[in-house]
Amino acid sequence: MHNNDITIVGAGSAGLTLALLLAPTGLKITVLEQGYAPTQQQVTHQRVSALNLASKRVLEHVGAWPAIAATAAAYHQMQVWDADSFGRIEFNAGQERLSQLGWICDNEQIRVALHKQLQQHANVELLFNCTINSIAQSERDVVININQQQLLLSRLVVGADGVNSLVRREMQLPLAHWDYEHQAIVATIRTQLPHQASARQVFLPTGPLALLPLPDPQQCSIVWSCNPERAAELLAMDEMAFNQALTAASNSVLGVLARQTVPQAFALKMRYASTWIRGRAVLVADAAHSIHPLAGQGMNLGLMDVAALAELISEAVADNQDFSETRLLRRYERWRKAEAQTLIAAMETFKRGFSNKQPLLKLVRAVGMSGVDQMPWLKSKIIAAALGNSGDLPKLAQPMLKTQHSA
C-alpha cells in the first residue's frame, strides 16, 4: 500500500497547477492521470484558452508563465458587436492603463510548462496512463485502487478530472446540468488582414463567433458556437463554402478568412455539482462546474478554484492544523461556489439575451451595449471583473501582489 497526503486526480491545467501550488508545503502529493504525459511538440493552437491577469499571476508564482507566454498571443483590444443590431462595445488596454488585456494560450503548452516545473519537486509523484478501478473512503483516509490492484492511501483526494469526473461519480456528488443547445466549432484560420492583437466576438442569431488572435499576425483561432442545425450545416460544407460562411459571419472584419485546420465540433453543456465535497474528497475546476465559452472564462475560473484551495490548505499546514478537515473544505466550497454561480448565471443571461429575436429586445440590447460603451466607469468595472482585477480573489491572484517569479 502506497501512502501519501494528497492525491490529485487529473493532470490537466488545474490539477498540475494545484500540485505546484501545494509542493512548497512539503506534503507528499500524487497526481493520477489516465492519459499521457505532456510532451514538447509543435504548437498547433487547435484548442486554446484565454487567460486573464489573475491566472497569469498564479502561473507566474509557480514559475510556469515564461514558457507559456513564449507560445501565447497577447491581445490589447476586445471588440464585441451584435450582428443583428447597432450594438457595439470595445475595450482597450491603454484606456485601462494596462499593457495587455489577456493572452490566447495553447492548452497543451500550458500543461507542458506546468509539467516541467513539477520535475523540480521530489515530494510530487506523477502517474500517467493510470487506471483508477475504485475510490472509497473511511473516516480517516481515502483508498484508491489503481492499475493492477495497487492501493493508494490518502488523507485528501481532489477531483480535477474534468467534466466527466470519475471522482464526482465515485463520491456520488449530485450534478445539475442542462444542454446549451449549442456546439462549439473550433479551427485555426488565416485572415486577409492582420488581427492587430485584437480579440473579436460577434453575436449572431445562431450563436456567438469569436476570433482569437494567435502569434502569427494573420492567424486566429475561432470558436463558433451555434445551434446543432447550423453546426451540422457548417461541418458538411467543403472548404470554400465554409470560408465564405465564416467571412460573411464575421462581416469581413478581417477580410477574407480561410480555414487552416479541419473544423472540430464540441457539444456545450452547463454542469454544476450542487455539492463539491464528501468526506475527504473535493472537486475543483471543470469537475465542479463547466460554463458556456462565450466569455472565455472557463480556464480562469478553474485556476482560481485551485489557487483558493491551495491557499486554505497551505495556511492550515503552516498552522499545524488538519488540512483535510470538513470545516476547511466547506470554506473553500462556499468561497468558490459563489464565484461559479455568478458566472454561470451571467453566461445564461448573455446567451438568452442575444439569441432572442424579438425586435424590442434586440433594440434594448443594442442600446445597452452602446450605452455601456459610452460610460467609462462602467466599462472599467466590467473589464476589471473579466481581467481578474476585482472580486473575491485568492491572494496569489490579487492585482497588487508581487510574486517571486514576476515577468
Side-chain angles (χ1 to χ4, degrees):
M1 184 175 289
H2 185 65
N3 289 274
N4 70 346
D5 294 306
I6 297 176
T7 296
I8 300 169
V9 180
S13 297
L16 294 177
T17 300
L18 179 60
L20 275 170
L21 289 170
L22 291 175
T25 65
L27 295 172
K28 190 175 180 182
I29 300 164
T30 299
V31 181
L32 305 179
E33 170 57 47
Q34 66 177 354
Y36 58 88
T39 56
Q40 192 71 46
Q41 54 190 323
Q42 182 178 1
V43 182
T44 64
H45 292 106
Q46 181 67 17
R47 296 297 301 275
V48 300
S49 294
L51 295 185
N52 65 15
L53 294 170
S55 292
K56 172 180 179 279
R57 295 178 196 114
V58 171
L59 295 169
E60 278 182 329
H61 179 78
V62 298
W65 181 251
I68 294 170
T71 61
Y75 59 94
H76 316 292
Q77 290 182 311
M78 293 174 59
Q79 300 175 5
V80 182
W81 70 97
D82 184 5
D84 219 16
S85 74
F86 59 83
R88 186 179 186 88
I89 187 168
E90 296 188 13
F91 299 96
N92 186 286
Q95 294 173 351
E96 304 302 319
R97 298 181 181 178
L98 298 169
S99 54
Q100 297 94 11
L101 294 178
W103 294 262
I104 305 301
C105 304
D106 182 282
N107 286 358
E108 189 60 15
Q109 293 306 308
I110 298 174
R111 291 184 72 230
V112 168
L114 293 167
H115 181 252
K116 183 177 180 180
Q117 288 299 311
L118 277 169
Q119 308 309 305
Q120 304 173 24
H121 298 281
N123 60 319
V124 179
E125 182 181 18
L126 299 163
L127 299 179
F128 292 94
N129 301 308
C130 178
T131 300
I132 297 177
N133 302 312
S134 65
I135 304 175
Q137 61 176 313
S138 65
E139 186 176 334
R140 296 177 57 85
D141 300 290
V142 182
V143 180
I144 303 179
N145 186 320
I146 61 174
N147 298 334
Q148 300 301 317
Q149 304 303 310
Q150 179 183 351
L151 297 181
L152 182 61
L153 196 66
S154 304
R155 294 171 62 190
L156 178 68
V157 168
V158 181
D161 48 344
V163 294
N164 298 312
S165 171
L166 174 66
V167 173
R168 187 183 64 221
R169 187 167 66 250
E170 289 286 305
M171 293 296 100
Q172 298 181 346
L173 294 169
L175 182 70
H177 58 90
W178 66 74
D179 196 328
Y180 281 122
E181 299 180 344
H182 266 188
Q183 291 190 6
I185 296 175
V186 299
T188 300
I189 65 167
R190 177 154 291 278
T191 65
Q192 182 181 14
L193 303 175
H195 55 60
Q196 298 179 315
S198 179
R200 297 171 171 85
Q201 182 161 260
V202 53
F203 284 92
L204 304 160
T206 53
L209 165 64
L211 304 172
L212 307 175
L214 296 178
D216 185 319
Q218 288 181 263
Q219 272 192 343
C220 286
S221 175
I222 66 164
V223 182
W224 194 347
S225 302
C226 48
N227 57 49
E229 295 77 18
R230 181 56 174 161
E233 291 175 0
L234 292 169
L235 293 174
M237 291 178 180
D238 61 26
E239 185 172 349
M240 181 176 294
F242 183 90
N243 292 344
Q244 291 173 344
L246 180 61
T247 301
S250 69
N251 198 29
S252 302
V253 67
L254 291 175
V256 177
L257 306 181
R259 76 185 197 195
Q260 291 196 301
T261 60
V262 177
Q264 297 181 10
F266 302 89
L268 299 178
K269 294 182 179 181
M270 191 290 299
R271 297 175 179 86
Y272 178 75
S274 53
T275 301
W276 292 15
I277 67 171
R278 175 150 294 167
R280 294 175 178 270
V282 60
L283 303 179
V284 297
D286 284 353
H289 48 72
S290 64
I291 62 173
H292 199 289
L294 66 86
Q297 291 297 315
M299 176 78 79
N300 298 311
L301 190 63
L303 290 177
M304 293 308 101
D305 284 353
V306 299
L309 182 60
E311 179 180 314
L312 295 177
I313 290 174
S314 298
E315 289 175 353
V317 172
D319 294 337
N320 294 314
Q321 296 177 354
D322 182 2
F323 62 81
S324 63
E325 67 172 359
T326 300
R327 184 173 58 178
L328 180 148
L329 299 179
R330 289 290 182 203
R331 282 180 60 197
Y332 157 76
E333 183 186 47
R334 288 194 301 270
W335 181 1
R336 294 307 304 164
K337 259 190 171 183
E339 297 295 317
Q341 289 169 349
T342 298
L343 201 51
I344 287 171
M347 293 307 96
E348 185 63 17
T349 300
F350 269 115
K351 179 184 175 296
R352 290 178 182 271
F354 280 94
S355 62
N356 198 302
K357 299 179 182 180
Q358 294 183 18
L360 180 57
L361 287 178
K362 288 197 293 185
L363 176 62
V364 168
R365 73 184 183 228
V367 171
M369 288 181 71
S370 299
V372 169
D373 199 43
Q374 301 300 316
M375 302 170 71
W377 64 273
L378 183 54
K379 282 181 66 175
S380 291
K381 284 185 176 293
I382 292 172
I383 198 65
L387 297 183
N389 279 342
S390 66
D392 192 6
L393 296 169
K395 292 176 183 176
L396 289 177
Q398 293 173 8
M400 299 305 295
L401 187 67
K402 300 226 180 260
T403 64
Q404 182 179 357
H405 297 278
S406 58

